[in-house]
Amino acid sequence: MPNILWICADQQRADTISGLGNPHIRTPNLDALLAQSVTFTNAFCQTPICAPSRGSFLTGRYPRETNLKSNAEYIRPTERLIPRILTDQGYDCGLVGKLHLSPCDHHFVEKRIDDGYRVFEWSHDISDNWPGQNQWRNWLQANGVKWPVPPKQNRKLGVWGVPIDPKFTQTAWCSGEAISFIKSHKKEQPWMMSVNIYQPHAPYFPTEEFLKRYDPDKMPSPTYVEGELENKPVFQKTDNLGAYGGHGKSFAEESDHDHRLTKAAYYAMIEQVDVEVGRMMKTLEELDMVDDTIVIYMSDHGDMLGDHGIYEKGPYFYDCLTRVPLIIRWPGKYKAGLKVDALVELIDIAPTLMDATGLTTPAGMQGRSLTPLLTGSSAEHRESVYMEYYDAVAKYDPTPVGTCVRTDRWKLTYWQTLGSGELYDLKNDPGEVKNLWGIAPYKDAQSEMLQRLAGSMIATTDPLGVHVF
């Protein structure tokens, strides 16, 4: 059975890798990985919020079926995670960094279900909200290192070059712990390591060393058309003033230089993630584990990064928020250097791993295996992708409850609590600027997409329903 190195960055957009066409960022190790892997250029998360997305791809099930629909909810205790399934088949499974399948704020330390991880080095984020529980913070303390406190003005902007050696970041710690885990195994012992790095999640705090590599004046401004939010849902107008229902980083209150500085910091964090990916890849080579290890690189969702006049994430399904990197390598098994443009969902990863390990896909998994795409035996997969949002951060009035379906040509979202929605023509408006909902010439397209959305909601109903007759 193959080993599995599953690297998940937090909140990384799909358009942030040099080898995929971004000339403003440096990602040499990810670029090298692209050349050895299958890269999915249209991979979409099932919800643009951390906990429900993670619960979804770790089970291969849609958020509403795992009971984990928001950051304030708990995954159902009976859900079967990939590491639990693999552990039952003889794998040794470990995690370093973030899991986030239950509430994690100032008052809650994450509660675990029977997740299958023998090694569990938990570090939810870079804060010190859980004294003694954040293992990265404990490691800093054990090494006599004090994490700096950002000046007040940096906390407001959410951007700061941290004056500390990069080797002490949570990113470097995650890869270091993963490397130690990998080195502890003999070749005959199959393992899976989940490396859940917090970067490039906000706050946008790269180290000073990495931030200096990016000149804000050379960064492109966010993609935003003045007035584009006028005919869009109220949630977006609220978040234009401040993310998370008006409580977070504000696009409206910041200058163009602030926006460019934020992008520079975001790219700087991704470059450091890239460095640590390189360290882990080098370890596999040194241990002669390359051919025996499936490597997955991905993110749980993207970041608005000022596009559409909004930062971070919330109740919207723009591609910049829902389309994520997905790179999968298995030398000799999957096509090296192949780029796949087919629409795929993150819940497709779970049944793919069942195929790769020779296991039968459990009945409850709702994803579709990517194996035919990975081997090059097929170029077709899905006609559309389906996404959900169920009051995931509880900071809006009215409550945002909506579902979305996206094809190659169209994207439609229906907001149940508003009785209206969004329709975008991705062929003629790839930036999703003009909402065509309710506009007469697009009546037929809207009707057809509403039917597709209804069909998607029916098709994604839990296959594990209890039959009493």
Side-chain angles (χ1 to χ4, degrees):
M1 289 184 176
N3 306 313
I4 302 165
L5 177 59
W6 193 344
I7 307 168
C8 182
D10 197 337
Q11 208 159 300
Q12 182 179 354
R13 297 161 54 122
D15 59 358
T16 53
I17 297 175
S18 174
L20 294 179
N22 188 326
H24 304 286
I25 193 169
R26 288 178 290 273
T27 54
N29 294 296
L30 288 174
D31 294 348
L33 186 61
L34 292 176
Q36 306 160 1
S37 308
V38 178
T39 302
F40 295 90
T41 61
N42 283 303
F44 290 83
C45 62
Q46 274 41 81
T47 188
I49 297 295
C50 295
S53 178
R54 290 165 183 269
S56 180
F57 65 69
L58 281 169
T59 59
R61 289 159 56 76
Y62 289 96
R64 71 171 186 266
E65 307 302 356
T66 67
N67 194 53
L68 185 58
K69 304 180 295 299
S70 81
N71 285 352
E73 295 178 324
Y74 295 85
I75 193 168
R76 186 180 291 108
T78 54
E79 291 296 314
R80 299 269 295 167
L81 273 60
I82 286 290
R84 178 69 267 163
I85 295 171
L86 293 180
T87 293
D88 290 345
Q89 299 299 320
Y91 272 75
D92 185 33
C93 295
L95 174 142
V96 57
K98 183 173 181 175
L99 181 59
H100 205 184
L101 301 184
S102 76
C104 304
D105 63 17
H106 294 77
H107 308 290
F108 296 96
V109 172
E110 178 150 8
K111 292 183 179 179
R112 296 172 63 186
I113 63 171
D114 183 14
D115 51 45
Y117 289 115
R118 178 185 65 83
V119 173
F120 192 76
E121 297 293 330
W122 186 76
S123 174
H124 181 73
D125 61 26
I126 63 171
S127 72
D128 197 19
N129 288 337
W130 311 273
Q133 301 291 329
N134 187 328
Q135 297 304 322
W136 164 65
R137 285 276 183 170
N138 289 347
W139 176 78
L140 288 180
Q141 186 174 11
N143 283 276
V145 177
K146 187 172 183 179
W147 192 254
V149 176
K152 185 176 182 181
Q153 65 270 27
N154 300 92
R155 291 198 298 271
K156 183 176 186 295
L157 179 61
V159 177
W160 181 41
V162 184
I164 199 167
D165 191 317
K167 70 182 181 183
F168 293 119
T169 59
Q170 198 249 22
T171 301
W173 172 79
C174 281
S175 70
E177 292 298 308
I179 288 168
S180 295
F181 177 88
I182 294 168
K183 286 183 174 180
S184 71
H185 289 84
K186 297 180 180 179
K187 288 197 70 173
E188 56 270 17
Q189 168 67 60
W191 51 264
M192 185 188 87
M193 166 51 70
S194 296
V195 187
N196 295 338
I197 295 167
Y198 189 64
Q199 287 183 324
H201 193 292
Y204 306 97
F205 287 175
T207 64
E208 193 172 66
E209 175 183 326
F210 278 89
L211 184 57
K212 285 180 178 178
R213 302 178 187 183
Y214 291 86
D215 183 351
D217 293 334
K218 295 181 180 179
M219 293 291 108
S221 298
T223 302
Y224 174 59
V225 176
E226 193 70 36
E228 71 166 274
L229 300 182
E230 290 306 310
N231 71 333
K232 296 183 179 181
V234 64
F235 318 123
Q236 298 184 36
K237 299 171 189 175
T238 298
D239 282 6
N240 173 254
L241 301 176
Y244 301 109
H247 300 278
K249 184 173 172 63
S250 172
F251 179 92
E253 294 179 1
E254 295 180 4
S255 67
D256 184 59
H257 180 268
D258 291 338
H259 299 322
R260 292 169 183 263
L261 177 60
T262 300
K263 185 166 289 187
Y266 185 76
Y267 286 4
M269 289 193 289
I270 292 170
E271 183 174 351
Q272 187 177 3
V273 173
D274 179 84
V275 168
E276 299 307 327
V277 168
R279 282 182 65 200
M280 289 182 276
M281 295 301 100
K282 184 178 180 181
T283 297
L284 293 179
E285 293 172 1
E286 292 172 346
L287 297 176
D288 193 26
M289 288 185 174
V290 171
D291 292 344
D292 303 324
T293 304
I294 295 173
V295 176
I296 302 172
Y297 183 85
M298 58 172 287
S299 184
D300 54 350
H301 54 75
D303 189 309
M304 295 299 290
L305 205 61
D307 288 352
H308 304 284
I310 304 170
Y311 275 106
E312 300 191 47
K313 58 201 173 196
Y316 15 87
F317 297 98
Y318 291 115
D319 277 11
C320 55
L321 185 58
T322 56
R323 190 165 67 93
V324 298
L326 179 57
I327 305 167
I328 305 179
R329 183 186 78 168
W330 191 7
K333 302 291 185 178
Y334 300 154
K335 289 276 188 179
L338 179 65
K339 287 188 174 63
V340 175
D341 297 328
L343 295 169
V344 305
E345 299 184 344
L346 292 189
I347 64 166
D348 297 336
I349 297 172
T352 303
L353 290 177
M354 294 297 97
D355 274 357
T357 53
L359 302 176
T360 300
T361 300
M365 281 189 182
Q366 297 172 287
R368 302 177 187 177
S369 175
L370 299 171
T371 301
L373 298 176
L374 289 162
T375 58
S377 63
S378 177
E380 299 180 359
H381 191 63
R382 294 177 179 273
E383 292 184 353
S384 61
V385 292
Y386 170 72
M387 296 170 278
E388 309 172 329
Y389 190 101
Y390 298 107
D391 192 23
V393 292
K395 293 182 182 293
Y396 299 88
D397 184 18
T399 299
V401 176
T403 52
C404 175
V405 64
R406 184 201 192 278
T407 65
D408 287 329
R409 172 68 187 273
W410 299 97
K411 180 186 289 183
L412 179 137
T413 301
Y414 180 72
W415 294 104
Q416 183 267 334
T417 44
L418 299 179
S420 63
E422 297 167 79
L423 176 68
Y424 299 105
D425 181 350
L426 301 175
K427 178 180 178 180
N428 296 307
D429 179 24
E432 304 174 76
V433 173
K434 188 176 182 180
N435 182 12
L436 304 175
W437 181 274
I439 297 178
Y442 303 95
K443 179 180 178 181
D444 289 346
Q446 181 173 317
S447 177
E448 290 172 8
M449 289 298 288
L450 278 170
Q451 290 181 51
R452 183 180 288 276
L453 179 62
S456 295
M457 294 181 70
I458 294 168
T460 56
T461 301
D462 192 348
L464 290 177
V466 177
H467 297 271
V468 295
F469 296 107

